Amino acid sequence: MSTLVGYESFVDECGRLLIQRLHEFGNRGMAINLGDWLQKYAFDVIGEITFGTRFGFLDHGEDVGGLIRALEKRRMFTSLSGVYPFWHSLAFRVMSYLPGSGAAGFAHLSQFSQEQVEQHKAKATGRPKASDGPTPQVDRFLDAHLEKPESFPMHAVMTNCMGNIFAGSDTTGISLTAIVNNLCQNPEVTQKLRKEIEQQISTRQPMDPITFKETQSMPYLNAIIKGICLPIVLHVLKLTRIRQRVFVSTLRQACHFSGRCLLEELGYLINTFPKT
């Protein structure tokens, strides 16, 4: 957890830039796609945490290098590959040369990640080992590779960096958009949340961000985040367990399964409610 909190300064910097952009739009009376801008924000946060540099979405206000489009195209390609895996190898080679395809999007993101890893790898020899401070994750991965190359090879460095990009930006953007959308649809909830935030920031400077530690003492904010994010796709990674007996209770009915059962449980629920 201390390592994760160490990235807080990266998040704060992107948060300030997003607020600045929203103020600019408000002053000009512009209508914007907030979901699109929240994904741009999430992408830049992932860039800061992974590589120590923003991709530039918030700076330029556009899809830099076509990364978001590439991510969307890749999702379609991987979905079809999962249904027809025997065609994957041949289809990927052919479609990598087609600009609008998901394979081309995957290749573009892979090349971008490779370039970033190589840049950090060139600096890895002379720099001190990564600490719990705000150190890009790619440096930690490279340290692990240099320390134990047999158990953490270079392809693991690439896999972890690309995993951040593939799985981090869109799901974070979706979560933030869902929270804002639900708050807009429930003004009484928004009012209660505003009151809690105002109470929290009453003794600080106007643009001072609320820290992660401080948010842990904001029960209403935490209830909103957990309640809205629970059904969203980023929590659907499941842990499969073998159980001898399973009792399932829902709002409509209760079922009892005897004998050997494969039970899939949400990792999010297991960690959030360990006693249930």
Side-chain angles (χ1 to χ4, degrees):
M1 180 56 75
S2 61
T3 302
L4 292 174
V5 174
Y7 296 118
E8 194 165 4
S9 59
F10 293 150
V11 180
D12 290 343
E13 182 58 34
C14 292
R16 290 189 190 95
L17 190 52
L18 175 63
I19 291 171
Q20 180 185 327
R21 291 286 176 266
L22 294 178
H23 277 303
E24 291 171 0
F25 296 138
N27 292 335
R28 284 182 281 174
M30 290 179 59
I32 62 166
N33 182 338
L34 186 59
D36 178 57
W37 275 92
L38 288 174
Q39 183 171 6
K40 288 183 172 70
Y41 160 77
F43 233 121
D44 273 350
V45 168
I46 295 298
E48 285 272 19
I49 290 175
T50 307
F51 302 115
T53 181
R54 291 194 299 273
F55 290 109
F57 291 93
L58 293 174
D59 301 88
H60 304 290
E62 59 187 30
D63 183 5
V64 178
L67 287 175
I68 292 179
R69 184 170 179 271
L71 191 64
E72 292 172 350
K73 293 290 184 180
R74 170 194 167 272
R75 190 181 298 113
M76 182 182 296
F77 179 80
T78 51
S79 298
L80 292 174
S81 298
V83 178
Y84 308 105
F86 43 86
W87 285 108
H88 174 266
S89 182
L90 176 62
F92 185 83
R93 289 175 188 157
V94 174
M95 295 180 70
S96 292
Y97 296 98
L98 304 177
S101 71
F106 186 91
H108 178 74
L109 286 168
S110 301
Q111 182 182 357
F112 177 86
S113 299
Q114 182 69 50
E115 290 171 356
Q116 291 293 324
V117 169
E118 291 300 328
Q119 289 178 19
H120 283 264
K121 187 180 178 182
K123 304 173 186 175
T125 309
R127 64 169 174 77
K129 190 174 179 180
S131 63
D132 283 344
T135 304
Q137 284 190 344
V138 63
D139 290 336
R140 298 182 188 277
F141 299 149
L142 288 169
D143 285 346
H145 168 68
L146 292 172
E147 189 174 333
K148 294 182 178 180
E150 66 286 346
S151 60
F152 201 85
M154 270 306 296
H155 74 78
V157 176
M158 277 292 298
T159 301
N160 280 277
C161 289
M162 291 175 64
N164 280 5
I165 300 172
F166 291 153
S169 61
D170 53 347
T171 48
T172 304
I174 289 167
S175 299
L176 293 172
T177 304
I179 290 170
V180 174
N181 179 60
N182 278 272
L183 287 173
C184 290
Q185 293 183 22
N186 298 275
E188 69 285 353
V189 175
T190 306
Q191 192 60 36
K192 289 180 182 177
L193 179 60
R194 281 181 180 273
K195 193 174 294 184
E196 186 178 65
I197 294 173
E198 287 167 2
Q199 186 177 359
Q200 185 69 45
I201 66 174
S202 59
T203 58
R204 65 176 65 236
Q205 295 297 320
M207 290 302 291
D208 248 7
I210 298 175
T211 65
F212 173 77
K213 185 177 180 180
E214 289 171 329
T215 62
Q216 301 310 292
S217 62
M218 301 174 67
Y220 200 71
L221 171 65
N222 281 279
I224 289 172
I225 294 173
K226 291 176 181 177
I228 294 175
C229 289
L230 186 58
I232 298 179
V233 66
L234 77 162
H235 298 312
V236 301
L237 295 177
K238 303 176 185 69
L239 176 65
T240 303
R241 299 178 176 182
I242 298 175
R243 294 288 180 89
Q244 297 302 322
R245 297 177 183 175
V246 177
F247 179 77
V248 180
S249 177
T250 67
L251 292 176
R252 294 186 178 181
Q253 61 180 347
C255 302
H256 181 265
F257 301 93
S258 59
R260 192 179 175 87
C261 300
L262 274 179
L263 178 66
E264 288 191 338
E265 299 172 288
L266 292 179
Y268 173 80
L269 290 177
I270 294 170
N271 288 282
T272 306
F273 309 104
K275 294 182 180 180
T276 57

